[in-house]
Amino acid sequence: MKLTRFQRARPHPSRAGFWWTLFWYVVVFALSELLRPKPKLEDAKPSGLGDFQFPTATEERFVPLLWGTSLVSGPNVVWWGDLIQEAITEKVKTGLFSSETVTTGYRYHVGIQSALCLGEVDSLRRVWIGDDLVGNYISSPIVDGGTFTIDKPELFGGEELGNGGVVGTLKFFAGSLTQAVSSYLANFQQIGANNRTPAYRGTCYVCPDTEPVYVGNSTSIKAWKYELTRIPNGLGLANSGKVNGLDANPMNVIYEVLVNTDWGLAINPSKVDVSDLAAAGATLATEGNGFSYLLDSPIEAAELIALVEEQVDGILSFNQSLGKFQFNLIRADYVIGSVPHFDDGSILEWESFARGSWEETSNFVRASYNDRSDEYKGTAGLAIDSANIRIQDGAVVTANRSYPGCKKESLANDLAWRDLRTLAYPLSKAAIKVETGKGYDLQPGQAVALASATLGMVETAFRITRIDYGDLTDNVIHLDLVEDVFGYLAGSFGAPPVSGWTPP
């Protein structure tokens, strides 16, 4: 049949069905999305002050003592508060036509007061959080009352990849006896009827300057580490008592231990031969033998003195004649003909005498220390005696020494060689009795000359290691001695090996 001019073609039945199906599908899908129950999204819950974990927060902890320039690791957190919980939000789609803002975590800002050591500290030089150096102030150290800013928002990976970072400004209190009260802590710490805030005089500490510090998105706080400098100078030595620019003079350390009335032996300064200790201090400064040490656990004063004695190779003793403490450095600073002389005629009795054997010697010394120039990593100074190795048929015999007061590579090498001097040669030892009148003025560490036709000794130099004054009635003094070895051949030593490891 032919179409007239007034007739139009009708759609094909199959095409009309497709469009109706599509229409109803869209309607049903839209209705299902609108009527479908929305998922319940829970916001993250904020943590409170009680949820925070600090590396060290102990009431009974010993307050450290510092000499020289050293690292204070894990300072004691004595107060925390002023918590600010800043929500971290994210827009999450809950359907085709809907979305919802949820809290995925929190940024935490906390006020933290960290006690570092007893004062008064000279300056703050560097700051680490964990193993990351976050503040370097070596060119302009932070002094009492100064502020420093940590700006490391991505330190822990940032908010997308980790637990945020650390941002904030802190104030350094050196611990003087005239220390001012922190204006920040005054907002939170009021004690007594007058609501006074402690100044914590005599204690070096760090706290926020005006606002709490952003510490990341986790309640687990990493350990902070501070490099501090404290150089005492009770003896009035040159260069303000500094050795190598950063170390304390060991004799100022000894003097402090003797006379300090708070934590020392509280000995009257009149009982200390200041000029004698000062002369020893001048020698140590010339040698570059400085002492940097953090005493962070309680020990007897005698142990601390022994630690210094071992590093400087000397002995502290009380001079009976002068009634004062003196310090004898073991050095080649004597003439054999001018030291006290004892022979078969003046020695009442040879209690013992023994010559050492080569089998008892060592030919390789490792002097362990922490290297300040390499972020206080543990390493060692080395010294080797090749002649001793040949004598012992090629056997390498190692002796290990530890010097916690040493923080410098060149000093560690010097100490290793000094120790090798006494370990690589078989030294004779002796014990003798002399009359009180001839031995009363002798001091431990002093050089004496022994001569004996029976033993074949002619003016052999010995050092006094111990003096026993005996009883008042027997008129006898006992001397323990060891052969002196200055003048022994020089050896070779090398710098501590580098690890080759680079932080990622």
Side-chain angles (χ1 to χ4, degrees):
M1 182 180 67
K2 294 183 179 179
L3 295 174
T4 67
R5 62 182 298 181
F6 300 103
Q7 290 180 317
R8 303 173 65 184
R10 294 182 180 181
H12 194 278
S14 61
R15 293 182 180 178
F18 169 77
W19 290 109
W20 277 108
T21 302
L22 179 61
F23 172 76
W24 286 112
Y25 176 80
V26 171
V27 170
V28 171
F29 178 78
L31 289 174
S32 65
E33 283 295 316
L34 292 173
L35 298 176
R36 182 167 59 89
K38 301 297 186 292
K40 293 183 178 180
L41 300 177
E42 292 190 7
D43 290 331
K45 299 295 187 289
S47 298
L49 282 173
D51 298 317
F52 280 82
Q53 299 177 2
F54 297 94
T56 309
T58 307
E59 293 181 3
E60 298 83 5
R61 187 180 177 188
F62 176 79
V63 182
L65 283 164
L66 172 69
W67 294 275
T69 302
S70 193
L71 192 65
V72 179
S73 301
N76 200 13
V77 176
V78 295
W79 174 86
W80 65 92
D82 193 17
L83 174 63
I84 296 177
Q85 303 145 319
E86 183 183 352
I88 302 173
T89 59
E90 181 180 343
K91 199 169 187 177
V92 178
K93 289 189 69 65
T94 58
L96 183 63
F97 308 109
S98 63
S99 63
E100 187 175 337
T101 300
V102 297
T103 300
T104 59
Y106 285 85
R107 303 180 189 93
Y108 294 109
H109 303 253
V110 187
I112 302 173
Q113 180 187 8
S114 299
L116 306 184
C117 64
L118 290 179
E120 181 175 0
V121 171
D122 297 337
S123 62
L124 165 68
R125 289 166 43 87
R126 289 185 286 181
V127 181
W128 289 262
I129 299 178
D131 294 326
D132 296 298
L133 181 65
V134 297
N136 188 337
Y137 316 107
I138 291 177
S139 60
S140 183
I142 310 300
V143 297
D144 186 31
T147 60
F148 59 98
T149 299
I150 308 296
D151 187 14
K152 300 290 182 179
E154 306 294 321
L155 183 63
F156 308 137
E159 292 182 1
E160 294 184 4
L161 302 177
N163 291 319
V166 175
V167 178
T169 300
L170 300 102
K171 193 167 186 176
F172 175 67
F173 292 84
S176 71
L177 296 180
T178 59
Q179 187 162 272
V181 172
S182 164
S183 58
Y184 174 79
L185 294 179
N187 297 317
F188 309 98
Q189 300 181 7
Q190 291 88 28
I191 299 174
N194 295 323
N195 294 327
R196 291 183 177 178
T197 302
Y200 301 99
R201 288 170 179 161
T203 300
C204 174
Y205 73 93
V206 169
C207 72
D209 183 26
T210 58
E211 301 289 339
V213 176
Y214 168 53
V215 295
N217 311 333
S218 170
T219 56
S220 181
I221 307 299
K222 283 192 175 184
W224 290 46
K225 296 181 287 188
Y226 299 85
E227 183 184 52
L228 304 176
T229 296
R230 175 178 172 268
I231 310 292
N233 194 21
L235 295 174
L237 302 180
N239 198 27
S240 302
K242 296 178 183 178
V243 179
N244 304 320
L246 294 173
D247 298 322
N249 194 296
M251 290 302 99
N252 274 324
V253 178
I254 291 289
Y255 182 74
E256 244 192 347
V257 174
L258 291 176
V259 305
N260 188 277
T261 56
D262 293 328
W263 46 262
L265 295 173
I267 294 172
N268 192 313
S270 64
K271 296 292 184 181
V272 180
D273 191 339
V274 173
S275 60
D276 179 80
L277 266 65
T283 298
L284 294 172
T286 301
E287 295 175 348
N289 196 331
F291 190 80
S292 286
Y293 181 64
L294 181 75
L295 178 63
D296 55 3
S297 59
I299 62 174
E300 296 290 334
E303 294 181 58
L304 179 58
I305 291 173
L307 193 69
V308 179
E309 289 177 329
E310 185 177 7
Q311 178 173 316
V312 304
D313 196 15
I315 300 177
L316 177 71
S317 62
F318 188 75
N319 189 309
Q320 301 289 340
S321 299
L322 296 178
K324 294 186 177 184
F325 283 93
Q326 293 184 321
F327 200 92
N328 288 314
L329 290 173
I330 311 301
R331 301 291 187 272
D333 54 0
Y334 61 89
V335 177
I336 191 68
S338 62
V339 300
H341 186 280
F342 297 95
D343 55 21
D344 292 329
S346 56
I347 298 174
L348 300 178
E349 179 184 347
W350 286 87
E351 295 181 292
S352 65
F353 181 83
R355 297 188 185 277
S357 64
W358 287 105
E359 291 76 11
E360 298 172 333
T361 62
S362 300
N363 47 45
F364 186 81
V365 173
R366 290 178 52 87
S368 300
Y369 75 106
N370 293 99
D371 190 354
R372 181 166 49 227
S373 65
D374 192 19
E375 298 189 347
Y376 295 89
K377 292 182 175 64
T379 182
L382 308 175
I384 187 170
D385 190 308
S386 56
N388 185 287
I389 293 176
R390 290 194 295 269
I391 291 173
Q392 300 206 54
D393 298 323
V396 177
V397 183
T398 303
N400 294 307
R401 294 288 186 268
S402 177
Y403 291 103
C406 173
K407 302 294 185 291
K408 189 175 175 62
E409 176 187 17
S410 59
L411 175 58
N413 287 329
D414 290 343
L415 297 177
W417 165 239
R418 184 202 67 194
D419 289 347
L420 185 66
R421 183 189 295 273
T422 59
L423 294 170
Y425 189 83
L427 303 176
S428 299
K429 296 181 180 180
I432 63 176
K433 290 181 181 179
V434 298
E435 293 181 3
T436 300
K438 295 183 178 181
Y440 187 77
D441 290 333
L442 297 177
Q443 299 297 313
Q446 186 175 351
V448 298
L450 298 185
S452 172
T454 305
L455 298 175
M457 286 194 303
V458 179
E459 287 194 330
T460 302
F462 277 76
R463 291 279 181 177
I464 301 172
T465 59
R466 189 181 71 91
I467 299 177
D468 182 356
Y469 292 96
D471 299 327
L472 295 175
T473 57
D474 60 10
N475 196 33
V476 172
I477 287 180
H478 302 255
L479 301 177
D480 291 343
L481 309 108
V482 64
E483 187 179 358
D484 203 19
V485 294
F486 284 107
Y488 186 51
L489 294 177
S492 59
F493 55 82
V498 296
S499 67
W501 180 80
T502 302

